[in-house]
Amino acid sequence: MSMCPVCNGLHRIENLCSNCQRLLDDVGKIESFYDPYSPYRQWDELKTTNGFPDLANHQCMHVLVCPDCGLEQVVAIKETELL
């Protein structure tokens, strides 16, 4: 079993916007934006259809948005194993 250190408050994403160099806002997991019920579905189930190799690579895909210019970016966060 693995968990995302960002979703669980153990790590913060501090990526800068490539356009204006502002700190990007983490707006959550990409799966949360698929449909109104996606936040209530099993994450591993959603990972099988999101187009990323995140399930096999034990990653959590987060959406980052620039508060100034609106640039959107998806980043992969390495999940950590629970013992």
Side-chain angles (χ1 to χ4, degrees):
M1 178 102 185
S2 59
M3 64 107 181
C4 175
V6 173
C7 288
N8 287 281
L10 302 174
H11 180 72
R12 179 179 153 90
I13 302 172
E14 296 184 350
N15 291 20
L16 296 178
C17 177
S18 59
N19 290 336
C20 58
Q21 304 307 306
R22 283 280 315 262
L23 190 62
L24 297 172
D25 292 333
D26 177 15
V27 295
K29 295 174 106 171
I30 194 168
E31 290 91 352
S32 297
F33 298 94
Y34 290 153
D35 61 55
Y37 296 104
S38 61
Y40 306 105
R41 293 174 53 199
Q42 293 294 320
W43 294 120
D44 286 348
E45 174 191 339
L46 290 167
K47 286 181 174 184
T48 62
T49 59
N50 68 5
F52 295 99
D54 52 334
L55 183 60
N57 295 336
H58 302 285
Q59 298 171 326
C60 184
M61 307 305 288
H62 280 255
V63 178
L64 307 180
V65 176
C66 179
D68 281 346
C69 70
L71 175 84
E72 291 186 12
Q73 171 181 355
V74 178
V75 296
I77 305 299
K78 182 72 176 161
E79 294 176 337
T80 56
E81 289 295 319
L82 296 175
L83 301 176

